[in-house]
Amino acid sequence: MSERLQPGDVAPDFTLPDADGNEVSLSAHKGRKVIVYFYPAALTPGCTKQACDFTDNLSLLADAGYDVLGISPDAPEKLGKFREKEHLKVTLLADPDKKVLDAYGAYGEKMNYGKTYMGVIRSTVIVDEEGKVERALYNVRATGHVAKIIKDLGI
């Protein structure tokens, strides 16, 4: 498991396939702020709530200069089904080998009902126009998280 990112760190660059299999790179967003959020699994209740919240606020975030990328270990095909079923507008990226999740400290030990296991740590990293970490939030809740980000960023 990698260290968690801190403000001022250079955000690890990545290139991952989106729901249509097109490659998307963080470096392609240079000059804009990027909200990169990591979630455990498409088509699950909490992840659906979070993705819908980002979709509902996408134009507000875009107008404030933010792009949004959601990353999970799901395959692109599952992300496509998720996008269609929930009418999502946010860019969803597939990281099945968990390399990006690990690089961002968003994959590691979790505990549920007293059992320890490895899994995705629901996290959000806000990257500035230069590719540096502005904020790194770990173990966030799915519900209300987008509203909190908007409030914290003063949007």
Side-chain angles (χ1 to χ4, degrees):
M1 183 177 107
S2 293
E3 292 290 312
R4 292 184 169 184
L5 297 176
Q6 301 296 324
D9 289 350
V10 173
D13 194 19
F14 57 80
T15 301
L16 293 171
D18 68 8
D20 299 314
N22 300 314
E23 304 257 297
V24 176
S25 298
L26 179 62
S27 55
H29 293 266
K30 201 159 181 105
R32 292 198 36 96
K33 294 185 178 206
V34 185
I35 297 170
V36 183
Y37 80 96
F38 299 91
Y39 62 99
L43 300 166
T44 58
C47 298
T48 298
K49 172 79 177 117
Q50 190 177 19
C52 288
D53 282 353
F54 271 118
T55 292
D56 292 346
N57 289 286
L58 207 53
S59 48
L60 176 71
L61 291 165
D63 289 349
Y66 291 89
D67 295 335
V68 179
L69 303 174
I71 299 177
S72 75
D74 297 305
E77 300 76 29
K78 186 173 180 188
L79 297 179
K81 287 179 188 154
F82 186 34
R83 182 185 62 198
E84 300 311 312
K85 181 175 188 272
E86 302 298 337
H87 309 288
L88 301 173
K89 302 276 184 260
V90 64
T91 301
L92 301 174
L93 303 176
D95 184 22
D97 60 12
K98 302 174 189 76
K99 283 192 172 124
V100 176
L101 283 154
D102 194 47
Y104 276 76
Y107 187 80
E109 210 170 78
K110 296 174 69 168
M111 187 176 275
N112 199 12
Y113 300 113
K115 288 194 164 86
T116 303
Y117 63 97
M118 295 299 283
V120 176
I121 298 162
R122 192 181 303 275
S123 312
T124 301
V125 175
I126 299 171
V127 181
D128 71 14
E129 300 89 342
E130 301 301 313
K132 289 209 161 103
V133 175
E134 192 175 290
R135 296 169 194 240
L137 311 163
Y138 293 93
N139 293 310
V140 301
R141 301 187 67 78
T143 305
H145 180 60
V146 176
K148 182 175 177 359
I149 289 172
I150 290 167
K151 181 175 180 261
D152 290 351
L153 295 174
I155 300 172

